[in-house]
Amino acid sequence: VVAARPRPGDSMTERERFMSTIGGRTPDRVPVFDLEPAEDTVEPLLAVDPLTIEVGYELVEIEYNPSTRHGLLRLYIDHEDGIQLDDCTNVSNQVSALLDVEDPIPGQYNLEVSSPGLDRPLRGRGDYERFSGEIVKIRTGMAINGRRNFKGRLRGIEGDSINIECDGQQFLLPLASIEKARLVPEFGTKPQTS
């Protein structure tokens, strides 16, 4: 979803058009808040997602930690070519301008923009397809074959489940059952995927 710009003759303001793109996000791209912000704060923060897409980045996660003295808003971004300091600066400048206009967060806060790191979280079908062949760590909300924690090689998606090879066995984990999933960094040679 890309924030649409107003066209000449449109009655919708740029802000209204931009905010209207929020509802059209796909389930893979729903940001996660580590601490739940006030309800009226959530919608303007979600406007950050289409903005990061527009400037060429994937918004992986949002952390918002409100504080009476100095809150913290941290954005994790990614790009297929990786993230450099200039990327973080670019997104920080763009998001800062948006937040100055929207002013969704009461009081003072710091804005931080970072890469998700080598152990980035996986957030939906697109991530599981993209990182097929990588080592992942997954926790499910319910026990599957007597276990909730899985660490192994991601073998792809089959229907509405992901295929993971753990301890020499293949497991199909329903996407809806996954509570948390992260990449596990590998250092050295990666085995061939099948």
Side-chain angles (χ1 to χ4, degrees):
V1 176
V2 175
R5 296 289 178 215
R7 290 170 283 230
D10 277 356
S11 60
M12 192 180 279
T13 67
E14 183 173 354
R15 179 188 179 282
E16 290 168 332
R17 182 174 303 284
F18 187 82
M19 295 305 286
S20 73
T21 64
I22 294 169
R25 286 176 299 113
T26 62
D28 306 16
R29 306 211 36 89
V30 176
V32 173
F33 295 88
D34 279 359
L35 297 174
E36 199 63 38
E39 204 167 292
D40 61 342
T41 304
V42 174
E43 186 174 315
L45 289 179
L46 294 180
V48 170
D49 191 23
L51 177 66
T52 56
I53 294 168
E54 185 175 293
V55 293
Y57 302 96
E58 172 192 2
L59 180 62
V60 175
E61 189 168 22
I62 296 176
E63 288 179 6
Y64 176 57
N65 186 357
S67 172
T68 55
R69 295 189 64 191
H70 223 67
L72 174 65
L73 176 62
R74 183 177 292 134
L75 309 179
Y76 294 95
I77 60 169
D78 204 358
H79 188 274
E80 62 188 31
D81 296 330
I83 295 296
Q84 304 295 320
L85 181 59
D86 289 343
D87 299 314
C88 294
T89 302
N90 181 29
V91 171
S92 178
N93 291 336
Q94 295 288 325
V95 169
S96 182
L98 171 70
L99 294 177
D100 285 347
V101 169
E102 295 295 330
D103 199 22
I105 302 173
Q108 296 182 338
Y109 62 93
N110 289 325
L111 172 63
E112 293 181 6
V113 178
S114 178
S115 78
L118 296 175
D119 63 341
R120 72 163 276 163
L122 303 177
R123 301 265 184 243
R125 184 184 250 355
D127 284 347
Y128 296 110
E129 290 169 348
R130 176 179 171 193
F131 294 106
S132 183
E134 301 290 335
I135 299 289
V136 296
K137 187 186 249 183
I138 297 174
R139 184 176 69 222
T140 59
M142 60 184 180
I144 298 174
N145 291 349
R147 63 193 282 183
R148 291 184 59 211
N149 296 302
F150 299 83
K151 181 179 175 186
R153 192 154 310 273
L154 180 60
R155 295 296 182 196
I157 292 187
E158 295 180 24
D160 288 332
S161 298
I162 64 153
N163 183 341
I164 183 171
E165 184 180 332
C166 301
D167 307 321
Q169 291 184 308
Q170 299 281 328
F171 293 92
L172 286 178
L173 309 178
L175 284 167
S177 73
I178 297 173
E179 258 181 19
K180 187 174 185 179
R182 294 187 97 64
L183 289 177
V184 175
E186 289 184 87
F187 301 100
T189 310
K190 183 168 91 170
Q192 293 293 321
T193 57
S194 49

